[in-house]
Amino acid sequence: MSRKIRRAAVLGSGVMGAGIAAHLANVGIPVLMLDIVPKELTEKEKKQGLTMEDKQVRNRVAASGKEGLKKQKPAPLTSKENMHLIDIGNMTDDMDKLSEVDWIIEVVVENLEIKKSVYKEVDKHRKQGTIVSSNTSGISIEAMSEDCSEDMKKHFLGTHFFNPPRYLKLLEVIPTEATDEEVLAFMKKFGEDTLGKGVVEAKDTPNFIANRIGTYGLLVTVREMLGQNLSVGEVDSITGPLIGRPKSATFRTLDVVGLDTFIHVSNNVHAQVQGQEKEVFEVPGFMKQMNEKGWIGAKAGQGFFKKEKSEKGSEILQLNPETMEYEKRAKLKTKATEIAGQEKGPKQKLAAMVKAKGDQAGDFIWSIIKPVLVYSAELTGEIADDIVSIDEAMRWGFGWELGPFEMWDAIGVRTSVERMKEEGENLPEWLEQMLEGGYESFYKKENGNVYFYQDGAYHQQTFNNKEINLKLLKETKEVLHKNAGASLIDLGDGVAGLEFHSRSNAIGMDVIQMINKAVDIVDEDFEGLVIGNQGKNFCVGANLGMMLMEAQDQNFFEIEMVIRQFQQAMMRIKYSDKPVVAAPFGMTLGGGAEVCLPAAAIQASSETYMGLVEPGVGLIPGGGGNKELYIKHLNNLPQGIDFDLQKISNSVFEKIATAKTSTSGEEARENGFLDRMDAISFNQDHLLHDAKQKVLGLAGSGYQAPKRMPIPVTGETGYATMLLGAKQMHLSGYASEHDLKIAEKLAFVLAGGRVKEGSKVDEDYLLDLEREAFLSLIGEAKTQQRMQHMLQKGKPLRN
């Protein structure tokens, strides 16, 4: 049967329920969010003369959950406009509305009997064929559905989102014995293609996959910290990026998650397992004490860490588990941390740490990695069908760069197993058989395919056909052209891909040269070009260090040449005979945004943080960004109507002068960086595929390069108006003297210089103005101070 989820319902409006409702709204699905009817009136409601029969009172809990979405950070909604897709009600008066939805997600309190009573009501009101799922993080899916009708049992499963639902990629899907195979397949595909999730099928076991292993690993780390007499800060300093984990490492992660939530998850496993495993899931006494005191983390203002103001400013203190007092935060630095810090990738860093026997940091990392690897091997088959599901769950749910079996490959399976045996570890039989069979790694790559070990053989890993993996692609197809900053790759079907791979994907002469080369080759031999990559961010801008060095040496001729070539390369993207589609994601700042703006179309990730941020380093955009953002705003206007050119200039001026950056792809559209030709992908793994399809669509519909058109500008009148606004900001104390100087240059460029209001000017003329302004600013001492500060501290300087 052909299924579609046109409308959904969420039962429960707490942080998680409201977060799931927000994510559904983000992808364009209208959602009904219901919660309980309150038991009594608030004082405010009494003063308003309301009664328990008033809808405002009866829907109060759900209304509060919806309202809370506006205040949460990070924001659950990709756009405030998505709020209108969330309707509210209550689970007494509005259950009949469940007959109008295609998917019902239960997110009520973690109590089996309460959940079963909710399902009894759901069963009465749902229409046949409606999918029902629970977001439980630990209660048995089978037990929840045992009293449901046969049709509901067939359409029932677990869908465990990770918090916050918008940002964490993992969605664990847990079928029961009765779940229809078609329903399971549909939900996995829907989760990936529509919700943008990394979907893993888990078995109906305590805490499923990620929380089971992640909680175990955290508790092992706490145990070893206490046993080896290390501090909270020392552990965090070596259990983050040094071993392929997030910057929040161990204890900052717990502070973000909330100790109360963590203890609940731990207790859930503790109640359902036996022996040594049960011992590990016993929460240490000092953590129970913290919970009792309310020191549960960020939401309480203190947890394992606490921020305090001192004479020197803000200081982060760490908790001492023995004294239960806060003290100065410590870090652990050893020979091993020094060596690992110099290694390039997560595999090499981890291997360097584990190999450092006799080193305090190296020994600690081995003592926390070893049990997690063994535990993951023991649970394979019990919590998931294969090692791939376990690795993906840990990467997507906990932000690990390497899953347990990928970590094992990185440190060497045979050598680490021998070490484990020497240390008295009992290993699962299947692991011994794997090594005896001559299989030296859990994964292998061959002919552009990935294989994983299972049951005495390697099996090919399957991927969604919308995933383009550049690393694998480059192993099978010859790279068309390459230099230190970028590569041109054949993406298939007549589409080429330009991948940036300089440090931070910053734009220097090597990237500019590759843009020109790519346009040459594509215009001759391809249907079109995608500009995209699979780094941490699309592009953080121009190579600031190189620009600063040239400015300090007063090589302004050199800088002028680079800026001119960058501008020309952007014009080549714009006027290429074949369509160029940019595929931004993550940080797309300054020069990164300038690469996207002239493209025939933009296919942005939902998580795209795009802005022209040059004023933060004392500059204005130099690669045509001012002009292109202005033109985007003009193009976004409906055809054939009069418009106020000054309003458009003011809007663009404000966005650039304040370095306004979107917090999502949707907000980038609201800010005018995306127009009607542009689209958004919710699954970043599908971004290059979607961009490639956009190229093929443009090419197939007879794409023609845009015609050069004169651009209307506001001239001297507009310049004066924009400058007046900047001066008011300066007088109000919101802008420094140097901010005002930058704003003056920016206003002059956007106004088109000293011409009459309404004049139409050539693009090259605007580029000349932009280049002159950029060069004059980069010579300023205060601009160079800002650039230096950004390079050293990673944040803007107000001077």
Side-chain angles (χ1 to χ4, degrees), residues 460-530:
Q460 189 175 335
Q461 188 177 342
T462 55
F463 296 91
N464 188 308
N465 59 11
K466 291 184 179 178
E467 285 184 44
I468 294 174
N469 185 314
L470 291 179
K471 206 176 270 185
L472 289 178
L473 197 63
K474 286 191 283 189
E475 287 174 14
T476 54
K477 288 196 172 190
E478 190 183 343
V479 173
L480 300 168
H481 207 77
K482 181 181 180 179
N483 66 20
S487 295
L488 187 65
I489 307 155
D490 185 348
L491 299 181
D493 302 317
V495 179
L498 179 60
E499 175 199 24
F500 297 173
H501 45 63
S502 56
R503 190 174 177 186
S504 300
N505 290 342
I507 297 166
M509 279 306 298
D510 47 7
V511 171
I512 293 169
Q513 285 162 6
M514 275 303 302
I515 290 170
N516 287 317
K517 189 75 180 175
V519 173
D520 285 341
I521 292 172
V522 167
D523 277 352
E524 196 71 36
D525 300 321
F526 286 86
E527 295 290 320
L529 175 69
V530 170

Side-chain angles (χ1 to χ4, degrees), residues 337-381:
T337 64
E338 197 181 306
I339 293 167
Q342 290 167 356
E343 293 287 349
K344 284 204 169 166
K347 293 179 182 179
Q348 291 82 356
K349 286 179 188 291
L350 177 65
M353 289 298 289
V354 166
K355 284 172 188 169
K357 281 189 188 180
D359 179 280
Q360 190 181 18
D363 288 346
F364 181 80
I365 295 302
W366 173 247
S367 74
I368 66 169
I369 294 291
K370 177 178 68 170
V372 170
L373 300 186
V374 175
Y375 189 60
S376 301
E378 288 170 346
L379 291 178
T380 302

Side-chain angles (χ1 to χ4, degrees), residues 771-786:
R771 203 167 58 253
E772 286 163 18
F774 186 96
L775 286 164
S776 69
L777 285 169
I778 205 168
E780 294 272 347
K782 285 189 175 179
T783 287
Q784 291 176 22
Q785 286 165 13
R786 288 190 180 194

